[in-house]
Amino acid sequence: MQTLDFLSLPDELIVQIFCHLDFPVGLKAALTLNRRSRYIISNSVLLQYIILLRRLGVIDNPASPLPLSQRYELLRQREEAWLTFHIKRRTTIQLPNRPDGIYDLTGGHYFAGDLSRTAVNFVQLPRCGLTETNEPEWNQVKHSHTHCDIGVSVYEHDLVVVVHQLPLATLNLGVEFIQLSTGLPHPEARRPIMSLPRISPPLFTHSGNAKLHVSVYIEVVGKFCIVQMGRARHLALVDTGDRFFVIDWMAGVVVKQWLNQGYHYQGFVMLSRDTILVPNIHSHSLEVWELPTHLTEATAEPEPCPPDPALILELAPLHDGVSVIGVVARSEPNPMTRTFPGSRASKLPFYIDPESAVILLYVHFQNNQGLHCKLAMFTTRRAIHGIHQKSPGTVVWKDWGPSSVLFVDVTDETTRWMTTSCGQRAAFISEAADTEPSRITIIDFNRNNIPFHRDRLLSFMQANPHCVGRGSGGTIFVTFPNDVSVIESLPAGSKFEDEHQLFKGEVSSDMECVKYDSGNLGPSQFSCGGILMEEDSLVGIQTDETNQTKALEFFTFV
């Protein structure tokens, strides 16, 4: 039988075969096969684009009208701009009216509630690969009742979810599903406005102008809309506990209710289409809950929060007298099942892969002397998924934390806004930046970018040997004469410098990353009350004398 030499195949077939190799091992092996394979890979736009997508944790959008070569070039230029902190455009836009504190930044849109609590204002940010050249302008989504909070699914569903308090009622919530692009009831929602199950016994009776403040967290993936109702504040308050409502928003039914007496849970993250990650401040752990597979209407009475979560991840043991008093969690973007047909999002050339995104938790600690501090805790969806598949049950800290978690002290950084990470990056700015111009710090967790940062680090070290330092945790950093750290490399095994004496033992991390700031890489000084992050932009929050948001400044990298 005659055997066919692989390299005798036409280039086009070899390209298609190489497209199915894994990254980086398979493609690196193909590069070393021989001179012809190197030539084919180096000269194929398709293969170069696939390599770049996989290296950066990005997914191609086959529905994009842009040719492959243009998509590749846009992605390459965007990544280079982020790595070198090259802001290509700065745009300032005033808020249309005074905000009520409700906001979100997702899917290339910034959302802000106004004081009327009957409308949500939103503005589209400049986006990579879209040809609009108009200046950003505000639009508005109006809804039927006073809102408590909003949830948004721009890419997957073109959807705004408004959770509102029903009028003249005890604490009972309603949910409204609105199409973002039209402002009309969402066409895929069988019941565009629905009530959540009534809470019994009543918490209080409305009287006078008393205001109710309810902590509400909302996420949407696929058919699931999950609403968590947390702590409520009112003069006549009765303890509500933590309540979770799992809604099939397309069918308009609540398929699961969970209730926990007390306040153990503060927010959650969509881990996948059918699991959520829930921080438990009472047990000092992270829990993975599985969502129901049979989407039938739930019973009237709520069930206890899962007594046996699919996975419990214990966190680093704390010193006696130290406790966690608050956690907020975020991972952007959320998992998706599709992009909404005909929406602006469906024309984008590519998207961040949700599986590659970091999970950011801001953890607020207090000791028995009343001293407070905050840490940013980073992990990844991919790491949690891997543990969930291999080790269901309870996993102690030493068996997962050092390999999958990194702590960063953010006590002196602004943590009022949660939307400070996107994909594999996060951004921070000093809490004093609203009065004293400060540098923006980026943390990059993409291991494939670390060689680039290290090459730049080495060039700085060679040019400025007197400006190089080493931290006690094994880190290397470069400073310049003004004593501002420019690049800091955190290799595997870096030790957390526990200045606040929070943890019982040494805490180290194998999550490699690089921290760099805007100094010597771009415009170095920024005056803003907070910094937010999106795929293509940073958003600076300009505040007034009452610390309310008055304007946004978009720092665009495309």
Side-chain angles (χ1 to χ4, degrees), residues 27-96:
L27 284 166
K28 284 185 176 179
L31 276 169
T32 60
L33 190 61
N34 60 24
R35 185 179 299 175
R36 185 178 173 215
S37 67
R38 287 196 300 273
Y39 176 84
I40 290 172
I41 293 173
S42 300
N43 288 274
S44 167
V45 174
L46 174 59
L47 286 173
Q48 289 299 307
Y49 183 47
I50 288 174
I51 290 171
L52 190 60
L53 288 169
R54 294 178 183 175
R55 183 173 75 81
L56 301 180
V58 176
I59 300 173
D60 177 57
N61 177 18
S64 168
L66 298 178
L68 208 63
S69 58
Q70 190 172 349
R71 280 180 261 171
Y72 167 77
E73 194 59 28
L74 284 169
L75 182 57
R76 187 192 65 78
Q77 291 177 2
R78 184 181 79 174
E79 187 64 15
E80 182 179 340
W82 274 110
L83 292 175
T84 57
F85 211 96
H86 179 201
I87 295 171
K88 298 184 177 181
R89 183 183 178 191
R90 295 178 69 156
T91 308
T92 300
I93 182 170
Q94 302 293 319
L95 262 68

Side-chain angles (χ1 to χ4, degrees), residues 53-170:
L53 288 169
R54 294 178 183 175
R55 183 173 75 81
L56 301 180
V58 176
I59 300 173
D60 177 57
N61 177 18
S64 168
L66 298 178
L68 208 63
S69 58
Q70 190 172 349
R71 280 180 261 171
Y72 167 77
E73 194 59 28
L74 284 169
L75 182 57
R76 187 192 65 78
Q77 291 177 2
R78 184 181 79 174
E79 187 64 15
E80 182 179 340
W82 274 110
L83 292 175
T84 57
F85 211 96
H86 179 201
I87 295 171
K88 298 184 177 181
R89 183 183 178 191
R90 295 178 69 156
T91 308
T92 300
I93 182 170
Q94 302 293 319
L95 262 68
N97 45 42
R98 191 173 177 83
D100 63 358
I102 291 172
Y103 85 101
D104 202 356
L105 176 66
T106 184
H109 293 67
Y110 180 90
F111 298 84
D114 63 27
L115 285 180
S116 73
R117 289 187 172 260
T118 58
V120 177
N121 302 299
F122 68 93
V123 61
Q124 297 180 357
L125 280 65
R127 294 312 308 268
C128 183
L130 299 184
T131 57
E132 299 102 321
T133 56
N134 297 332
E135 292 298 309
E137 60 181 31
W138 289 99
N139 294 280
Q140 191 174 76
V141 169
K142 294 184 178 180
H143 47 84
S144 57
H145 300 297
T146 302
H147 62 236
C148 298
D149 211 334
I150 62 168
V152 184
S153 175
V154 176
Y155 288 171
E156 188 178 20
H157 296 303
D158 189 28
L159 171 69
V160 177
V161 180
V162 180
V163 174
H164 46 66
Q165 182 191 349
L166 297 180
L168 302 176
T170 56

Side-chain angles (χ1 to χ4, degrees), residues 445-462:
F445 288 93
N446 187 341
R447 293 191 176 190
N448 297 310
N449 282 339
I450 288 175
F452 172 88
H453 290 296
R454 284 183 176 162
D455 288 345
R456 190 168 63 190
L457 184 66
L458 288 172
S459 67
F460 283 150
M461 291 169 67
Q462 292 168 358

